[in-house]
Amino acid sequence: MSLSKIVQAENTVPWSDLPLELTGLVLHCLPADTDRLRFAAVCRNWHFSSMQHDLYPPLPWLALPDGTFFSLPHSESFQFSDSLGYHSSSEEWLFFLREGTCSLMNPFSKVTLMLPNMLSVRSINEPVEIINGPVIGGFNMFAFLLMISRISIWKVIVCSPVLVAAIFVIGGIHTVALCRPGAASWLVSALGNRWNIMEIMFYDGKLFVVTSRHLFSIDIGEDDDNGEPRVSRIELVIEGPLSWAMGQKIIELSLYLVESCGVLLLVRREARYKESYQSDANGVRMVLDVNFLVFEADITSSQWVEVKSVGDDMALFVSKGSSRAVCVSQYKPWGNHIFSLEDGTWDWFWKQMPWSCCVCDMRSGEFYSPPEAAWMGEKGTGTWLFPRF
C-alpha cells in the first residue's frame, strides 16, 4: 500500500463520529419529522445527538380520513390504516366518534385513551357569576340535557394527560364540556346558554373560550369530594366590538386560537357580502369577499389588537382540530403565511380550490393553492398533526 493511501486511511473519520456541533447543523436544516427520524435511525451516536439539540418544532403532518399521512413539506405518503375515519385531532392525537363511543389515539405511538360516551352527560360544578361579565346561574343545564336528544361534538382538545375539553352541540347550544380519560360522564357547562362557543384552547394553564367576539378564561380545578374536574373561575377577558358578531354582511365565520411566541392569537376567516353582483347562467348571485384577519389577545388592556404580520420565519397552520404557529426559518417561502384546511364547512369556497388546502399571504392578503400541494393527495377534509417524538 502506498504511503498516501496509508495516511488517507488513518485520517478517515467514520460518519458515526461526526462532532455534536456538525450533527446539530445538519438537523437544523431538516424541517420534516421524517427526515429527523431517519437521521436518528442511522446509528446510535446520531440518535443520541438528535436528542441533544434544541430544535425548532418540525413542520406538521397532514392526516386524511382515509388513513393517508404526509410529513410536510414532502409529497411522500404513509398509510396508517388504524386512523381511518377519525373525527378530528388535537396536537398529536386523533379523536374518534363511533356510534357515541369516544376515544383518542396517538397514531404514532398507538396509545389509546377511552373517553365517556357522547350521550353520558352531566352538569359541571361551576360558579354562577362571570368575572367582568353577567350571571350564568338560573339555567338548569341538567334539566335541559334530559329534554335534548340531539347531541354532537364539534371539537375535542387534550389539555393534559388527565383533562380533556370539548365543544358540545346540544340542541342549538354550543357549549364547553370536560372529562377525565376513563371517566363515566362528560361534565357540561352552562356558559353556552348565553353565548355559542366557537373555539377553545388550553393555554398558560387555563382553558380559553371564544364566542363570535368575546374571549373567556376558565380556571379548572378538582372537586375535593370525587376528584372530578370543576370550574373554579370564569372571567370575561376581552369583550370584542359589536362589528365582530355574525351579521353586518358576514355570512361565514371560522375562528382559530393559536399560541405564537408566548402570545395568544385569534385567526378569523371571514366571508362577507360585497356590494357588487355577478351574473352567470343561473341568474344573479352575490360576489363574496373572503379574507383572514389575525388579532393578538392583549390581556392587559382587555382588547383585540390586529396583527398584520407573524414574521417571515413563522407560519400559521389552522384547522378545525389542531392549529399552531410553526417556525419555518428553514423553509422561507412559507413564512408569514396562513395554511388552512378544508374542514367540512364552506363547501362553496372549497369547490373553487384545486386542493383541500388554501394559503393566505399575510403581506398581500391573496389566496392561492401552493404548487407544493402535491402532498395534499386527493381532495377531502384533513387535519394537522403535531407529534412529539
Side-chain angles (χ1 to χ4, degrees):
M1 182 182 294
S2 66
L3 180 61
S4 61
K5 290 185 177 180
I6 294 175
V7 172
Q8 184 179 5
E10 290 179 348
N11 291 334
T12 299
V13 178
W15 282 103
S16 60
D17 292 340
L18 278 180
L20 193 64
E21 58 270 19
L22 289 183
T23 58
L25 291 174
V26 173
L27 284 165
H28 277 288
C29 294
L30 303 178
D33 249 335
T34 48
D35 292 336
R36 296 181 183 183
L37 291 171
R38 286 164 175 158
F39 178 93
V42 169
C43 63
R44 182 176 300 177
N45 286 346
W46 286 20
H47 178 75
F48 173 80
S49 176
S50 67
M51 298 186 292
Q52 304 306 307
H53 298 283
D54 186 17
L55 303 174
Y56 289 117
L59 294 176
W61 289 68
L62 170 70
L64 300 179
D66 64 358
T68 304
F69 283 34
F70 297 88
S71 177
L72 273 59
H74 302 315
S75 58
E76 179 185 8
S77 65
F78 301 85
Q79 291 300 316
F80 288 69
S81 58
D82 51 2
S83 300
L84 287 167
Y86 66 80
H87 176 278
S88 57
S89 69
S90 173
E91 297 295 328
E92 72 267 38
W93 297 92
L94 289 175
F95 173 64
F96 293 87
L97 178 59
R98 292 165 175 160
E99 297 182 354
T101 300
C102 303
S103 64
L104 290 161
M105 185 192 72
N106 184 320
F108 305 99
S109 68
K110 308 305 179 186
V111 173
T112 299
L113 301 176
M114 296 305 301
L115 304 179
N117 188 284
M118 178 181 66
L119 300 180
S120 179
V121 290
R122 293 189 288 113
S123 297
I124 195 168
N125 182 0
E126 63 183 345
V128 297
E129 294 185 355
I130 298 176
I131 307 300
N132 301 325
V135 174
I136 61 172
F139 177 71
N140 191 331
M141 175 58 78
F142 181 71
F144 177 72
L145 292 172
L146 292 178
M147 295 186 297
I148 297 296
S149 59
R150 294 180 291 108
I151 297 179
S152 61
I153 297 179
W154 173 251
K155 177 171 182 169
V156 170
I157 64 170
V158 179
C159 304
S160 74
V162 295
L163 181 64
V164 174
I167 298 178
F168 265 55
V169 183
I170 305 172
I173 291 177
H174 291 63
T175 193
V176 176
L178 304 174
C179 79
R180 295 202 186 283
S185 300
W186 289 93
L187 305 175
V188 180
S189 169
L191 186 62
N193 181 49
R194 288 192 68 102
W195 303 275
N196 268 347
I197 307 304
M198 299 186 65
E199 171 69 322
I200 56 176
M201 180 182 181
F202 195 73
Y203 167 71
D204 199 24
K206 297 182 180 182
L207 184 66
F208 282 85
V209 171
V210 171
T211 68
S212 61
R213 64 192 189 96
H214 298 325
L215 176 68
F216 297 87
S217 69
I218 300 178
D219 291 1
I220 302 170
E222 184 176 285
D223 194 297
D224 294 333
D225 296 329
N226 52 32
E228 292 182 337
R230 62 178 296 271
V231 174
S232 57
R233 174 187 170 97
I234 304 175
E235 181 178 358
L236 175 57
V237 179
I238 296 178
E239 186 172 5
L242 289 173
S243 60
W244 275 32
M246 293 296 289
Q248 301 199 15
K249 301 181 181 179
I250 299 178
I251 64 165
E252 296 278 6
L253 175 64
S254 297
L255 302 178
Y256 311 95
L257 284 172
V258 184
E259 184 273 329
S260 177
C261 302
V263 173
L264 186 62
L265 301 179
L266 177 68
V267 181
R268 287 172 58 94
R269 187 179 69 183
E270 298 179 349
R272 293 174 177 264
Y273 285 126
K274 294 176 69 174
E275 296 301 328
S276 59
Y277 291 81
Q278 177 177 327
S279 298
D280 57 20
N282 298 319
V284 178
R285 63 183 176 88
M286 188 71 73
V287 176
L288 299 176
D289 180 34
V290 178
N291 65 331
F292 277 96
L293 299 173
V294 181
F295 297 87
E296 176 185 338
D298 188 336
I299 307 299
T300 303
S301 61
S302 299
Q303 62 181 343
W304 298 107
V305 179
E306 187 169 1
V307 175
K308 296 296 186 180
S309 170
V310 294
D312 292 337
D313 288 342
M314 301 297 293
L316 303 180
F317 293 84
V318 299
S319 68
K320 172 185 172 182
S322 292
S323 302
R324 183 183 286 188
V326 178
C327 177
V328 291
S329 58
Q330 279 76 43
Y331 215 71
K332 289 287 188 180
W334 288 8
N336 214 16
H337 285 68
I338 302 173
F339 292 76
S340 176
L341 291 179
E342 182 177 355
D343 56 10
T345 61
W346 292 44
D347 292 340
W348 55 269
F349 174 74
W350 291 108
K351 285 180 180 177
Q352 61 186 328
M353 304 298 291
W355 303 99
S356 295
C357 175
C358 76
V359 181
C360 175
D361 187 335
M362 291 191 65
R363 290 171 287 248
S364 64
E366 295 181 352
F367 289 86
Y368 64 93
S369 286
E372 309 96 320
W375 40 255
M376 281 302 303
E378 299 295 329
K379 283 200 60 144
T381 58
T383 192
W384 302 120
L385 288 174
F386 303 95
R388 289 171 284 190
F389 293 111

